[in-house]
Amino acid sequence: MKKAFFLLLISAIIILPVLGQKNYLNESKADKDKRMEWWRDARFGMFIHWGLYSVPAGEWKGTTNHAEWIRTTAQIPLKEYDQFVSRFNPVKFNAEAWVQMAKDAGMKYITITSKHHDGFCLWDSKETDFDVMSTPFKRDILKELADACRKIGGIKLCFYHSIMDWHHPDYSQRREWEKDRPTTGTNRDRYINYMKKQLKELVTNYGDIGVFWFDGEWENFWTHEDGKALYNYVRNLKPDIIVNNRVDKGRGGMAGMTSDGDYGGDFGTPEQEIPETGLPGVDWESCMTMNDHWGYNKADKNFKSTEDLIRKLADIASKGGNFLLNIGPKADGTFPQESIDRLKEIGKWMKANGESIYGTSASPFEHINWGRITQKQTNNTTKLYLHVFDWPKDGKLQLHGLGNDPKHIYILADNKDLEYAKKDNTIDIKTPITAPDKINTVIVVEFNGQPIVYRPPLINAYSDSFIDQVNVSLSLPENGGDAVIRYTSDGTDPVISSALYKNEIILSHSAIIKARSFVKGKAVSGIVERKFEKAEPWIAVDLFKAEPGLNANYYEGEWDKLPDFRAITSKESGIISSISPGKYAGQEKYGVVIQGYLDIPATAMYSFYLNSDDGSALYIDGNKVIDNDGLHGMVEKSGTAPLAAGFHSIRVEFFENTGGDDVQLFIESEKIKRQQVPAKMLVH
Ligand code: FHN
C-alpha cells in the first residue's frame, strides 16, 4: 500500500507541472483573433539586424559582400570572430532616437535581433558571457530599447531569436568548413535548455514583448517536435505573445507560408517577396531589406526607392499582410543615412494616409491595374481606399464591379470631395489632372454595408499558347450571384448584345477572349481578357543512338547567380538519371550542368516547373524556357514549350551557395499529369 501511495505522490509531482503547461496548438479561433488583433491592425513594423557583424560592416579580407552571415560566408574561425566582442562599442546608440524614428515612419512595432545565428546576445544574459555586457559598451541594449518603447509609446518591442547558433558548443550542427570544433560531448538538450532560459529572460525582464520572431529552424538539428514544444513553452511563459512560423518546421521556403499540419506558429513569413494574392484567413508578414543586406554592409548602396517601399506597403496591406521593413544599424549605433531618409519620407506619406493601412483588410477585388485597394468597415459603413499608383491622364479613374452605391468619394490626404458617376456598376471618378501624391494618392470610396463586388469572369484554359487547338471555358468566381457571362473573341469589349457564354469555346487560331459579367441586361463587372497564341511545335531531332541518362558536369565555386559555366573547367562529370544535384547533394558552393535529350512522347504544349535552392535555369532546344536564377530558398518557376514528338535537347544549369540545396524539374501537358521528369524521358 505504502509503495503505491509513494508512486502516486512522485508521479503527481512530476506530471502536475507538465499538466500545468497548456497546449496552445489547438487554440480557438476567437482566442487567436483576440491575441492577434494589435498585430493585424499594425500592418507595418521595423526589423533591426544588429550585432557584432556590424563591426566588419560586410567586409572581410578584401571581399565586401558579407553581412550578418559573415562568420559563415567568410569562414571566420570562432576565436577570430570573438575578437569583434572587444570592438563592439556603439557609442552613438540612442534607443529613444531609434524608437522615435520607427514611430515617425508610421511603424507600430520593432523586431530586433536579440540573438542572430552567430550566437551573440544583445542583452545582459545570465546564461552566457557572449553578450553585450562583455563588450566595451557594457549596456543592455534591449533594456534601453524596452525603456524607450515604454516612454515614447505606440511601439511594441518584439524579438527576433535564432534557433541556429554558431557559437554555443551544444548546437552540434557545425558549418561544413568548421573542422576545429569537434562535436563530441555535445548535448542538444543542454542547448535547448540554454535557449529556453534565455527566452525566459527576454520575456520576463523586458516589458510587454509583442512577438518572438524565430529563425534558423531549417537545419536538421531542429525537429517538428522541438518546434511544437518551443511554441508552447513561450506561449506558457506569456500567453498573449505572438510567435512566427519559423519556430517550427512548417514554413515553405522563402515563400514563407505554413504547410498544412500541426505546425506551431501564428503567421507566415515570406522573405524578400510578396505573395501574388492574399490568403483569406491566413496571417502573414513579408520581411524585406531596404538594400540587399539584413546586417549593415557599408558597400551596399542598392537601396529601394521610397516610392517602391510605399507601394510595397500598400501592395502587402491590399493582400491582408504586414510589412516588416529592415534597418541594418552601423557599428557606432546609428542608422545608415539612406535608411533615415526613407523612413522620414515614408512617415510623411503615412501621416497623411496611415488610415488606409492601419486596421485594414485585403481588397475585395482581384487585380486592379492602376494600383491597389484596402478596405475597412466601421459600424455599417465601408471605406474602400483606392491606392492610385498610375494616375489617370484623362481625369477619369474607373472602378469596375462595385454593386454598392457610394455616398462619398474624396481624397484621403486633404478630404477634397471628388465628383463621380456610376453606371453598370462602374464608377467613373473625376480626378485632378495631376496626382496630388505621385507615389500613391489614396482616394476613399465610402458606402453603407459590406462591399458587393461583381468580379469579372474567369477565363480558364490549359495554356495561353497552343499547337492545334485550345479549349477555353468561362466561369464566374465564387458567389457570382445571378450574373451571366457575355464574351467576344475579336478583341472588342463585350456588350449586352455580345455572345452569351454557354459552352466551351474551342480556338484553333490565335485570338483575344474578352468577358464580362451581366445581371438583368446590365454589365456589372470589369472586363477580363486573355490572349491565346497558336504556336508551331519545335522540331524534334533524330538521334543516332539514345543511351539512358543525362550528362552531368560539376563545378566548384561561390556565386550569387548562375555563372557562365562554359568559361569554367568542370571538376568532374558523369551520367545522371534525374534532374537533381546528384552526388553533390548536401554540399555547398558548387554548380552542376545537366544536359542531354528529352524523349517527348507526343506533339503538345508542355509546361515545365523548375524548383531549386539556389539558382537554376532550363533550356530546351537552346531556348531559355525558365529562369529561376539568384540566391534563394526552394522556389519554383514555370514555363511552357510547344514540342513535336521526338528528341529535344535539354540543359539544366544549377548552383548552390550555402544552406539547403536541391533542383527538381517537373513536366506536364494536357495528357500528362504533373510529375518529375521520369528517367525514361531522359537520354544522351
Ligand atoms: O539567415 C537569416 C538571415 O540572416 C536573416 O535574418 C533573414 C531575415 O528573415 N532570415 C534568415 C534567412 O532566411
Side-chain angles (χ1 to χ4, degrees):
M1 187 53 182
K2 253 186 173 181
K3 191 178 174 206
F5 174 73
F6 177 72
L7 284 174
L8 189 67
L9 182 68
I10 287 296
S11 56
I13 291 167
I14 293 167
I15 290 171
L16 270 183
V18 176
L19 284 180
Q21 292 291 303
K22 186 172 174 187
N23 178 8
Y24 285 97
L25 288 165
N26 44 26
E27 178 182 44
S28 72
K29 182 181 178 307
D31 288 348
K32 180 174 179 181
D33 287 347
K34 187 169 179 312
R35 182 166 56 92
M36 298 293 291
E37 192 175 347
W38 74 265
W39 186 87
R40 290 169 181 163
D41 281 351
R43 285 281 172 257
F44 191 26
M46 179 185 279
F47 214 171
I48 298 177
H49 279 70
W50 198 35
L52 297 184
Y53 40 79
S54 61
V55 174
E59 183 169 4
W60 186 258
K61 295 181 180 172
T63 55
T64 59
N65 193 29
H66 305 287
E68 75 287 352
W69 269 67
I70 191 167
R71 182 154 117 66
T72 286
T73 52
Q75 300 191 3
I76 304 172
L78 198 60
K79 289 281 168 268
E80 202 169 352
Y81 188 80
D82 286 359
Q83 290 168 37
F84 289 130
V85 174
S86 61
R87 295 170 53 193
F88 186 75
N89 190 14
V91 292
K92 293 182 182 173
F93 170 63
N94 178 333
E96 292 185 16
W98 284 19
V99 173
Q100 195 61 55
M101 277 193 278
K103 184 170 187 177
D104 293 348
M107 294 160 161
K108 295 290 186 182
Y109 55 101
I110 290 174
T111 303
I112 184 168
T113 48
S114 49
K115 183 194 82 165
H116 204 265
H117 309 328
D118 64 355
F120 179 72
C121 303
L122 272 188
W123 80 99
D124 177 6
S125 172
K126 299 291 169 279
E127 303 305 323
T128 177
D129 291 333
F130 193 50
D131 71 359
V132 69
M133 306 314 280
S134 302
T135 69
F137 194 55
K138 290 193 189 322
R139 283 160 48 185
D140 186 331
I141 285 165
L142 299 191
K143 182 168 183 329
E144 293 185 24
L145 274 173
D147 294 344
C149 288
R150 248 190 310 276
K151 179 178 176 185
I152 294 170
I155 293 282
K156 271 258 193 201
L157 185 59
C158 309
F159 293 140
Y160 164 114
H161 201 80
S162 177
I163 293 165
M164 175 166 66
D165 188 311
W166 301 332
H167 191 274
H168 195 287
D170 289 326
Y171 186 88
S172 53
Q173 191 157 347
R174 298 285 186 264
R175 303 309 94 202
E176 45 85 23
W177 48 269
E178 269 195 304
K179 307 304 178 201
D180 62 339
R181 294 180 69 213
T183 56
T184 41
T186 56
N187 177 325
R188 74 186 303 273
D189 288 343
R190 196 164 48 206
Y191 173 71
I192 292 173
N193 284 330
Y194 163 78
M195 180 167 60
K196 286 183 171 179
K197 282 188 274 187
Q198 289 200 321
L199 294 170
K200 187 168 185 176
E201 289 180 329
L202 291 169
V203 88
T204 313
N205 307 332
Y206 296 88
D208 180 21
I209 303 309
V211 175
F212 264 130
W213 209 99
F214 288 101
D215 204 9
E217 87 289 356
W218 57 83
E219 295 202 316
N220 297 333
F221 177 90
W222 196 246
T223 69
H224 175 35
E225 290 314 308
D226 294 331
K228 289 192 287 184
L230 188 61
Y231 178 80
N232 271 322
Y233 173 73
V234 292
R235 286 293 311 278
N236 276 281
L237 283 178
K238 191 175 191 287
D240 68 346
I241 199 158
I242 294 170
V243 184
N244 74 341
N245 66 350
R246 301 191 189 190
V247 66
D248 197 346
K249 305 289 277 190
R251 170 171 66 118
M254 300 309 235
M257 298 305 181
T258 308
S259 317
D260 292 340
D262 62 341
Y263 295 107
D266 300 314
F267 61 89
T269 51
E271 180 171 324
Q272 303 287 34
E273 60 183 76
I274 299 168
E276 269 307 301
T277 60
L279 299 164
V282 173
D283 290 303
W284 55 274
E285 172 194 73
S286 272
C287 59
M288 275 190 200
T289 51
M290 265 201 199
N291 53 9
D292 294 328
H293 293 86
W294 297 101
Y296 177 59
N297 176 302
K298 63 187 171 192
D300 182 354
K301 299 302 177 190
N302 187 28
F303 284 79
K304 297 172 181 72
S305 67
T306 300
E307 173 180 299
D308 186 16
L309 294 171
I310 288 173
R311 291 183 176 185
K312 280 177 164 45
L313 174 61
D315 182 25
I316 289 167
S318 78
K319 295 164 180 171
N322 282 23
F323 188 20
L324 188 62
L325 180 56
N326 185 70
I327 304 286
K330 301 193 288 194
D332 67 359
T334 60
F335 286 177
Q337 190 56 48
E338 297 90 341
S339 301
I340 294 172
D341 296 344
R342 283 155 181 79
L343 289 174
K344 275 188 189 140
E345 292 161 348
I346 295 168
K348 195 160 154 268
W349 186 86
M350 284 296 280
K351 193 171 170 66
N353 300 286
E355 176 190 326
S356 69
I357 300 291
Y358 302 132
T360 60
S361 49
S363 170
F365 294 83
E366 265 157 11
H367 179 71
I368 295 283
N369 51 24
W370 39 254
R372 299 292 184 272
I373 294 179
T374 54
Q375 64 167 314
K376 196 181 298 187
Q377 276 76 33
T378 318
N379 304 326
N380 187 34
T381 297
T382 292
K383 286 183 175 178
L384 293 184
Y385 298 96
L386 314 186
H387 297 261
V388 186
F389 300 166
D390 304 328
W391 193 255
K393 294 178 178 47
D394 59 359
K396 181 173 78 176
L397 185 78
Q398 286 199 311
L399 179 64
H400 296 291
L402 184 66
N404 308 82
D405 291 328
K407 61 182 184 181
H408 189 194
I409 295 183
Y410 58 98
I411 293 175
L412 179 61
D414 60 9
N415 280 315
K416 180 176 182 300
D417 286 352
L418 296 177
E419 292 173 36
Y420 62 90
K422 184 167 182 278
K423 180 174 181 295
D424 291 350
N425 289 321
T426 287
I427 303 174
D428 289 346
I429 302 170
K430 196 167 181 305
T431 51
I433 288 305
T434 50
D437 184 318
K438 65 178 176 31
I439 291 181
N440 175 3
T441 297
V442 178
I443 292 175
V444 184
V445 176
E446 195 172 350
F447 52 84
N448 292 330
Q450 291 294 320
I452 301 165
V453 174
Y454 290 99
R455 293 187 170 176
L458 304 173
I459 303 179
N460 316 296
Y462 176 71
S463 163
D464 292 350
S465 51
F466 62 95
I467 293 177
D468 297 323
Q469 68 179 43
V470 61
N471 296 7
V472 180
S473 68
L474 305 180
S475 58
L476 287 168
E478 79 284 349
N479 57 47
D482 49 355
V484 297
I485 303 171
R486 291 188 179 277
Y487 72 94
T488 63
S489 56
D490 60 2
T492 57
D493 285 356
V495 293
I496 184 58
S497 56
S498 301
L500 181 66
Y501 177 73
K502 289 195 180 103
N503 302 307
E504 215 170 41
I505 306 158
I506 297 174
L507 288 180
S508 54
H509 55 80
S510 299
I512 297 177
I513 297 286
K514 284 191 170 186
R516 193 172 193 180
S517 304
F518 286 74
V519 170
K520 299 188 179 70
K522 286 188 172 246
V524 293
S525 80
I527 296 167
V528 65
E529 69 175 69
R530 189 168 171 180
K531 195 171 180 183
F532 293 95
E533 290 284 343
K534 186 176 175 67
E536 284 306 312
W538 297 351
I539 298 164
V541 295
D542 292 329
L543 281 189
F544 173 65
K545 201 167 70 165
E547 299 285 343
L550 298 174
N551 290 304
N553 280 283
Y554 294 94
Y555 303 81
E556 285 182 352
E558 184 173 356
W559 308 286
D560 55 13
K561 61 181 186 333
L562 285 168
D564 177 358
F565 285 108
R566 286 162 301 194
I568 316 173
T569 310
S570 74
K571 289 295 282 182
E572 54 183 308
S573 61
I575 299 299
I576 194 168
S577 60
S578 68
I579 307 289
S580 70
K583 59 183 6 179
Y584 274 51
Q587 296 190 32
E588 297 190 323
K589 299 187 177 59
Y590 71 92
V592 56
V593 175
I594 303 166
Q595 48 195 346
Y597 291 88
L598 264 180
D599 185 0
I600 292 294
T603 298
M605 182 59 69
Y606 288 88
S607 297
F608 292 92
Y609 304 88
L610 183 61
N611 284 259
S612 71
D613 172 358
D614 286 293
S616 62
L618 167 67
Y619 297 84
I620 295 178
D621 293 343
N623 305 301
K624 182 181 264 191
V625 173
I626 298 175
D627 184 345
N628 192 3
D629 199 354
L631 276 179
H632 52 66
M634 205 55 181
V635 164
E636 176 172 290
K637 291 276 176 72
S638 61
T640 57
L643 301 177
F647 295 108
H648 293 264
S649 73
I650 181 173
R651 173 183 169 95
V652 174
E653 296 185 358
F654 164 69
F655 84 92
E656 159 61 10
N657 190 302
T658 56
D661 68 319
D662 201 357
V663 58
Q664 300 168 357
L665 182 65
F666 294 80
I667 187 171
E668 184 191 53
S669 72
E670 287 194 274
K671 297 244 182 341
I672 302 175
K673 70 175 180 44
R674 174 181 156 127
Q675 58 183 278
Q676 275 199 277
V677 180
K680 67 182 180 189
M681 288 178 79
L682 302 173
V683 297
H684 68 284

